[in-house]
Amino acid sequence: MDFIEKLKSFDIPTCLRVCAGTDGSVTFLLEIMTRHLTAVVTEYQHVIPADERMAEIFDVKVGSKINDRVVTLISGNVPYVYARSLSPLEKMPEGVRCDMMKADIPIGRILRDHNIETRRDFESIELTNDETLFGAARVLSRSYRIVHHNGVLMWINERFPADSRWCL
């Protein structure tokens, strides 16, 4: 089943379905839906060496420097998204790299501010009952690649608590 058909099959609130199905900025959608600014709280950010999987995703050498960043998106004091991004430093335009290394700036805003044209290629989506997130018993997880000039600029995994906080 393809990404969109799988997403449509999930019994989840419509606002969550919209955020999980967008090929644009989740931060921007959250601000529209909640009518609050969305804060990006960086849980951690490290530069790590690319393993074989990362090297394959980004078409870089094993050991290349990869920015590994985990953030929580919070709107109106409510956490909505837990996201991990991986980005090869050597493939990032200078201004983008600089802003990515400053924590707490949403990726969509960074790309927009630097006029970087991208597309998002969805990889996977799943709804699980075997983990909790922000107090929710069900979690929707999606992974995708941000592509720029036919190369992968970023790999992102976003996790959304699948509960009533999305009944906006």
Side-chain angles (χ1 to χ4, degrees):
M1 191 182 305
D2 78 347
F3 184 92
I4 296 299
E5 290 305 313
K6 200 168 181 182
L7 176 58
K8 290 191 307 189
S9 76
F10 297 147
D11 182 21
I12 56 176
T14 300
C15 287
L16 173 54
R17 187 181 325 283
V18 169
C19 281
T22 187
D23 61 358
S25 169
V26 171
T27 305
F28 184 72
L29 286 175
L30 275 175
E31 290 184 353
I32 292 169
M33 290 178 185
T34 65
R35 294 178 276 170
H36 294 282
L37 286 175
T38 298
V40 177
V41 178
T42 302
E43 306 296 330
Y44 74 81
Q45 179 166 298
H46 307 287
V47 174
I48 60 172
D51 61 18
E52 287 183 20
R53 180 173 176 263
M54 292 174 200
E56 181 181 327
I57 289 171
F58 297 116
D59 191 26
V60 296
K61 293 180 180 176
V62 171
S64 294
K65 293 179 180 178
I66 304 292
N67 186 54
D68 183 3
R69 177 170 108 152
V70 172
V71 301
T72 298
L73 302 182
I74 299 172
S75 191
N77 295 319
V78 176
Y80 283 92
V81 184
Y82 181 85
R84 180 182 186 206
S85 65
L86 299 172
S87 315
L89 295 182
E90 68 191 60
K91 299 258 178 144
M92 294 168 70
E94 180 62 33
V96 173
R97 180 174 46 244
C98 214
D99 282 353
M100 280 290 291
M101 301 311 284
K102 292 175 184 171
D104 300 343
I105 303 173
I107 288 171
R109 186 170 300 139
I110 292 169
L111 296 173
R112 189 172 47 252
D113 288 351
H114 292 279
N115 296 316
I116 304 295
E117 292 187 29
T118 63
R119 74 171 191 270
R120 286 168 168 83
D121 289 348
F122 297 120
E123 276 185 359
S124 65
I125 189 163
E126 62 185 343
L127 183 63
T128 62
N129 295 313
D130 60 353
E131 68 176 294
T132 60
L133 179 65
F134 310 137
R138 293 188 319 151
V139 177
L140 181 72
S141 175
R142 75 173 188 163
S143 296
Y144 59 94
R145 297 171 189 211
I146 294 181
V147 178
H148 174 63
H149 291 312
N150 293 320
V152 179
L153 186 62
M154 297 175 195
W155 175 90
I156 298 176
N157 172 259
E158 294 168 331
R159 296 183 181 291
F160 306 83
D163 63 10
S164 63
R165 78 187 72 208
W166 293 97
C167 298
L168 301 167

